[in-house]
Amino acid sequence: MVKYNHCEKCKKVYNTETWIGEVHTYSGICPSCITAEQQENQMQKETAEIHIANKSDTEQDHKIEVANESTQSLPLEIDKNLLSRLEQMANDVLSDQGSIDVLIKELKVGLVDKAKERIEATFQSFDVNKIDAQKVIDYAEKTFGYLSEYKDYMDNVVIKLQANPKMKVKTAIEKVYKDSLGNIPNNVAKDVLLNKKVILKTVFGKSVKWYSIYADTEDKLELTKKMVLHPFNEIQKKFSTLPFYASR
């Protein structure tokens, strides 16, 4: 049997160990929550420093603006660096070295929001390129809508596989769906209950679809890793097609 150690903050399982019977403890803080707090504190600190610098030195800001105009490729390189780091960032989340919520926020600000600005600045209204670029933005935002829940879902799949090494990955996916469906509380508003079921069904559908892509991977943990990284890799590929990131 297994002892499940849950994070006292986010309640997610961050460690398992062999135990007499099935036990759930809620003590300690998982690496994701620790990292999230550290990153959030760092972001707040950097934001405060930037605000103070901007407010106290208008002349220097003007010089920076002029310099940026003469080196227009700089924002492009920053975006391309973020794009190339996406896989490593996703791996950090997968190994509990980073927070998926922080990652989604960084991707939204670093990729989606900047791309929206580029669309308006670069393309004319109803331009076919603008329509294609907007489709990439819509895809990313739609993926963000269930990405966190998908990561939690796959964590539970891995837990089932670890508890029963003989279990097939597809069987674990189906069992997690049934368990998650049964664990949805009924004493909530009807619209909230419906939304939870819709997200769960979406996540289940995505996991089955992406399982079929990597089903020939013999190692189960490697297979589940590829499944978790799939949506991140898709976002990276789609953003790579935008002219903002193409070589000049």
Side-chain angles (χ1 to χ4, degrees), residues 5 16 19 54 57-58 79 81 88 99 114 116 153 169 211 219 236 246:
N5 297 314
T16 61
W19 204 257
N54 288 342
D57 199 351
T58 304
D79 289 338
N81 288 337
Q88 181 57 49
S99 165
K114 284 187 177 180
K116 286 180 179 178
Y153 191 97
V169 174
Y211 163 76
D219 185 87
Q236 182 185 42

Side-chain angles (χ1 to χ4, degrees), residues 124-182:
Q124 298 292 328
S125 296
F126 307 113
D127 189 306
V128 64
N129 289 329
K130 180 176 182 178
I131 295 174
D132 292 339
Q134 187 60 50
K135 287 180 180 179
V136 174
I137 301 299
D138 294 342
Y139 174 86
E141 291 185 322
K142 185 177 180 180
T143 303
F144 290 161
Y146 62 80
L147 196 55
S148 183
E149 287 78 5
Y150 174 71
K151 172 62 168 52
D152 291 342
Y153 191 97
M154 289 305 301
D155 283 346
N156 289 328
V157 169
V158 172
I159 290 173
K160 283 197 175 295
L161 292 173
Q162 290 175 336
N164 185 0
K166 293 184 179 180
M167 183 180 293
K168 295 182 178 179
V169 174
K170 191 171 183 180
T171 301
I173 291 172
E174 293 169 348
K175 284 184 175 293
V176 170
Y177 177 67
K178 292 179 180 178
D179 291 348
S180 301
L181 198 60

Side-chain angles (χ1 to χ4, degrees), residues 18 35 76 86 106 124 182 194-195 214 218:
T18 304
T35 302
L76 177 68
L86 180 55
E106 184 169 350
Q124 298 292 328
L194 180 61
N195 184 59
Y214 305 106
E218 295 183 2

Side-chain angles (χ1 to χ4, degrees), residues 8-175:
E8 61 186 26
K9 285 196 171 185
C10 68
K11 310 305 179 185
K12 296 179 184 177
V13 175
Y14 68 90
N15 186 29
T16 61
E17 56 185 289
T18 304
W19 204 257
I20 301 175
E22 182 174 320
V23 178
H24 293 264
T25 64
Y26 293 82
S27 61
I29 302 177
C30 68
S32 293
C33 287
I34 294 175
T35 302
E37 289 182 354
Q38 293 174 342
Q39 292 177 339
E40 187 66 25
N41 291 337
Q42 182 63 27
M43 289 174 64
Q44 291 177 356
K45 180 180 178 181
E46 291 175 355
T47 300
E49 291 175 349
I50 292 173
H51 177 73
I52 292 173
N54 288 342
K55 186 176 180 180
S56 63
D57 199 351
T58 304
E59 183 178 355
Q60 183 62 27
D61 282 350
H62 177 69
K63 292 179 180 179
I64 293 174
E65 182 179 354
V66 172
N68 284 340
E69 290 176 354
S70 63
T71 56
Q72 294 180 358
S73 64
L74 182 58
L76 177 68
E77 291 304 319
I78 292 174
D79 289 338
K80 288 174 67 176
N81 288 337
L82 176 59
L83 202 60
S84 65
R85 284 175 31 233
L86 180 55
E87 184 176 357
Q88 181 57 49
M89 294 160 64
N91 272 298
D92 289 342
V93 171
L94 185 61
S95 60
D96 289 330
Q97 299 300 313
S99 165
I100 191 168
D101 294 325
V102 173
L103 173 56
I104 291 174
K105 182 177 180 180
E106 184 169 350
L107 294 179
K108 181 181 183 303
V109 174
L111 287 182
V112 174
D113 290 353
K114 284 187 177 180
K116 286 180 179 178
E117 294 176 3
R118 299 285 180 82
I119 289 175
E120 295 303 321
T122 308
F123 298 133
Q124 298 292 328
S125 296
F126 307 113
D127 189 306
V128 64
N129 289 329
K130 180 176 182 178
I131 295 174
D132 292 339
Q134 187 60 50
K135 287 180 180 179
V136 174
I137 301 299
D138 294 342
Y139 174 86
E141 291 185 322
K142 185 177 180 180
T143 303
F144 290 161
Y146 62 80
L147 196 55
S148 183
E149 287 78 5
Y150 174 71
K151 172 62 168 52
D152 291 342
Y153 191 97
M154 289 305 301
D155 283 346
N156 289 328
V157 169
V158 172
I159 290 173
K160 283 197 175 295
L161 292 173
Q162 290 175 336
N164 185 0
K166 293 184 179 180
M167 183 180 293
K168 295 182 178 179
V169 174
K170 191 171 183 180
T171 301
I173 291 172
E174 293 169 348
K175 284 184 175 293

